[in-house]
């Protein structure tokens, strides 16, 4: 069931089509002219060795075949969904475990892991983390499984470091939940494996990764998990936000107030556990701000799982209260998320189409360029996704389509009229040279 639903969730991407956007062109350029082992770029390869392996396979071996890359993302998503189901079943009744997995699959708040080739390493990091969680949740916990869990945790960290807080918690909490005691061996194994991976990343920090001066607004997390991140903006997202807020207030009240505890059930605990996991997932982005939508929803790699647990817990609470209410809530949530998923697929597809259209126009009007290629104004951004955004990815795309690493290109935010820029110019609105 989970695998079939995951395949169905990818249908909108297949129907709408898929292509390359943003950083994809940078990595394609590296693989084309430097070889598969250099696909991620020198700095990225050292900072994130796990990501370098994924990029070498995706962009170096598969190359410019976006449908094949999409199928690869589907395989990763199916394995993650099945692993997550097995992990949750060890602590929850089957209906709750299935419910959380269904919501995670349907919710369109981690689409970058599914359709963006440059985020394949992030999907791999989540898969490895779930694998480590499965190993840690066995009782007894033999040394060989603990060793393998440490290896998977280190590999996940070196693929995408945002999983670190959740992994740290997993080495403490998961053995405790299974055995009823803190496993010092697990804590030590986690400290050594994750600590070594984090130390490597800090010593080889990517020079382009800069912390922001501000702190992420918690409203981003809320909206990404319970508002416009999981449903089309407007009435649908407002309904979901209000329902989630009311349900969480009830869950916390029942847990904290003795007079409400007779009505306490498993759903309330799942809501709080999901919120805790969502916060753990947010911690790496407190000073590295992404808007959790479109290309930025990779910031919800862990938090999306926590959000799905919250929705499943709320559904269980509603079911205990009134079956009709639960059915209505589930219907509204799933339909809203399905609509949001289609909207996300359209945004990704149009972004790829925009990039492809501009690049084809450049080839048509300038088949053998001998000057800098200049495009402008900026391409349309839909749900935080654009086909080409700045000079770095525009120049990489130009070098790929012309098969020439010496070509130069520039992206302008404004127009490319005769007084605004020099070089071989293309207006992105008309896809023609300006008059």
């Amino acid at each position: 069931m989970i695998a079939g639903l995951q395949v169905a969730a990818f249908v909108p991407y297949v129907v709408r089509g898929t292509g390359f956007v943003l950083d994809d062109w940078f990595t394609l350029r590296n693989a084309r002219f430097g070889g598969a082992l250099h696909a991620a770029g020198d700095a990225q390869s050292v900072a994130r060795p796990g990501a370098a392996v994924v990029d070498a396979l995706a962009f170096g071996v598969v190359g410019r075949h976006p449908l094949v890359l999409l199928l690869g993302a589907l395989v990763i998503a199916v394995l993650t969904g099945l692993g997550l189901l097995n992990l949750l079943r060890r602590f929850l009744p089957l209906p709750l475990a299935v419910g959380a997995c269904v919501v995670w699959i349907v919710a369109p708040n981690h689409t970058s892991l599914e359709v963006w080739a440059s985020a394949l390493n992030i999907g791999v990091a989540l898969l490895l983390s779930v694998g480590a969680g499965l190993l840690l949740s066995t009782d007894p916990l033999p040394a060989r499984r603990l060793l393998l869990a440490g290896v998977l945790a280190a590999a996940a960290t070196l693929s995408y470091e945002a999983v670190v807080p959740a992994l740290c918690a997993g080495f403490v909490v998961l053995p405790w939940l299974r055995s009823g005691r803190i496993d010092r061996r697990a804590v030590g194994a986690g400290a050594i494996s994750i600590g070594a991976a984090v130390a490597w990343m800090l010593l080889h920090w990517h020079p382009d990764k800069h912390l922001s001066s501000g702190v992420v607004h918690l409203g981003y997390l809320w909206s990404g998990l319970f508002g416009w991140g999981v449903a089309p903006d407007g009435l649908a997202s407002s309904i979901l936000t209000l329902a989630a807020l009311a349900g969480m207030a009830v869950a916390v009240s029942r847990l904290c107030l003795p007079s409400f505890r007779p009505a306490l059930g498993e759903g309330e605990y799942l809501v709080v556990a999901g919120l805790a996991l969502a916060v753990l997932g947010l911690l790496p982005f407190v000073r590295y701000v992404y808007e959790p939508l479109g290309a930025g929803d990779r910031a919800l790699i862990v938090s999306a799982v926590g959000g799905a647990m919250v929705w499943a817990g709320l559904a269980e609470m509603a079911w205990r209260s009134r079956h009709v209410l639960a059915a209505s809530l589930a219907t509204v949530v799933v339909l809203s998320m399905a609509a949001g998923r289609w909207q996300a697929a359209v945004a990704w597809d149009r972004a790829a189409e925009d990039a492809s259209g501009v690049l084809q126009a450049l080839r048509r009007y300038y088949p053998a360029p001998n000057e800098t290629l200049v495009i402008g104004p900026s391409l349309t951004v839909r749900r935080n996704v654009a086909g080409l955004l700045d000079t770095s990815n525009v120049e990489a795309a130009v070098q790929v389509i012309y098969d020439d690493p010496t070509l130069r290109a520039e992206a302008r935010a404004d127009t490319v009229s005769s007084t605004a820029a020099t070089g071989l110019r293309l207006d992105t609105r008309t896809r023609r040279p300006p008059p």
Side-chain angles (χ1 to χ4, degrees), residues 7-381:
V7 171
F10 271 66
V11 168
Y13 302 135
V14 177
V15 172
R16 291 291 312 185
T18 183
F20 296 113
V21 299
L22 299 171
D23 293 355
D24 292 343
W25 294 107
F26 176 80
T27 318
L28 281 169
R29 188 268 310 276
N30 291 345
R32 174 67 185 86
F33 302 114
L37 296 180
H38 297 279
D42 293 338
Q44 176 82 320
S45 295
V46 175
R48 292 175 178 165
V53 173
V54 175
D55 285 347
L57 293 173
F59 295 97
V61 177
V62 176
R64 295 179 64 182
H65 300 284
L67 182 57
V68 178
L69 294 173
L70 181 66
L71 293 176
L74 173 58
V75 171
I76 294 170
V78 168
L79 293 176
T80 303
L82 293 174
L84 184 61
L85 175 62
N86 282 300
L87 178 58
L88 292 174
R89 282 185 62 185
R90 297 181 180 182
F91 306 102
L92 299 170
L94 181 60
L96 273 179
V98 171
C101 287
V102 167
V103 174
W104 178 75
I105 290 170
V106 177
N109 57 5
H110 52 285
T111 59
S112 58
L113 280 65
E114 301 171 344
V115 71
W116 193 17
S118 291
L120 282 172
N121 66 294
I122 304 177
V124 169
L126 180 60
L127 174 59
L128 293 172
S129 299
V130 171
L134 284 169
L135 292 168
L136 290 169
S137 58
T138 57
D139 184 32
L141 181 57
R144 63 182 181 276
R145 290 194 178 185
L146 188 55
L147 175 62
L148 181 55
V151 171
L152 292 180
T157 301
L158 293 173
S159 296
Y160 198 65
E161 60 274 15
V163 297
V164 166
L167 283 172
C168 291
F171 274 86
V172 177
V173 174
L174 292 178
W176 170 67
L177 289 175
R178 290 294 288 172
S179 64
R181 60 183 177 80
I182 298 294
D183 190 323
R184 294 181 179 178
R185 296 177 309 133
V187 174
I192 293 172
S193 59
I194 300 173
V198 170
W200 172 273
M201 299 194 78
L202 291 176
L203 291 172
H204 302 86
W205 190 257
H206 195 299
D208 292 337
K209 303 296 182 182
H210 303 291
L211 299 180
S212 67
S213 58
V215 176
V216 68
H217 195 286
L218 289 179
Y220 276 177
L221 175 68
W222 180 267
S223 299
L225 299 179
F226 309 111
W228 42 250
V230 294
D233 199 12
L235 180 61
S237 63
S238 298
I239 292 174
L240 261 63
T241 298
L242 291 174
L245 178 61
M248 282 185 271
V250 171
V252 172
S253 297
R254 287 176 178 174
L255 284 167
C256 296
L257 301 177
S259 59
F260 288 170
R261 285 178 187 166
L264 193 62
E266 291 167 323
E268 287 82 354
Y269 288 103
L270 187 57
V271 168
V272 173
L275 285 173
L277 184 59
V279 172
L280 285 174
L282 175 68
L283 291 179
F285 301 98
V286 168
R287 295 291 301 277
Y288 196 76
V289 181
Y290 285 122
E291 184 178 9
L293 184 69
D297 69 14
R298 61 194 186 277
L300 298 180
I301 170 180
V302 171
S303 297
V305 178
M309 292 167 59
V310 171
W311 283 113
L314 294 176
E316 192 274 342
M317 291 167 55
W319 181 263
R320 293 200 326 266
S321 175
R322 185 174 300 175
H323 291 185
V324 174
L325 175 62
S328 300
L329 174 64
T331 300
V332 170
V333 170
V334 171
L335 289 179
S336 297
M337 289 182 176
R341 174 166 286 278
W342 178 260
Q343 191 179 64
V346 171
W348 282 102
D349 172 53
R350 289 185 177 176
E353 283 184 348
D354 288 346
S356 177
V358 167
L359 295 172
Q360 289 176 16
L362 285 173
R363 288 295 304 268
R364 182 167 63 253
Y365 289 107
Y366 307 113
N370 55 4
E371 296 181 60
T372 299
L373 293 161
V374 183
I375 70 168
S378 300
L379 296 181
T380 303
V381 179

Side-chain angles (χ1 to χ4, degrees), residues 22-23 375 378-379 386-397 409-413:
L22 299 171
D23 293 355
I375 70 168
S378 300
L379 296 181
L388 297 167
L389 192 61
D390 56 34
T391 294
S392 65
N393 46 63
V394 169
E395 186 167 88
E410 177 185 344
R412 294 184 59 91

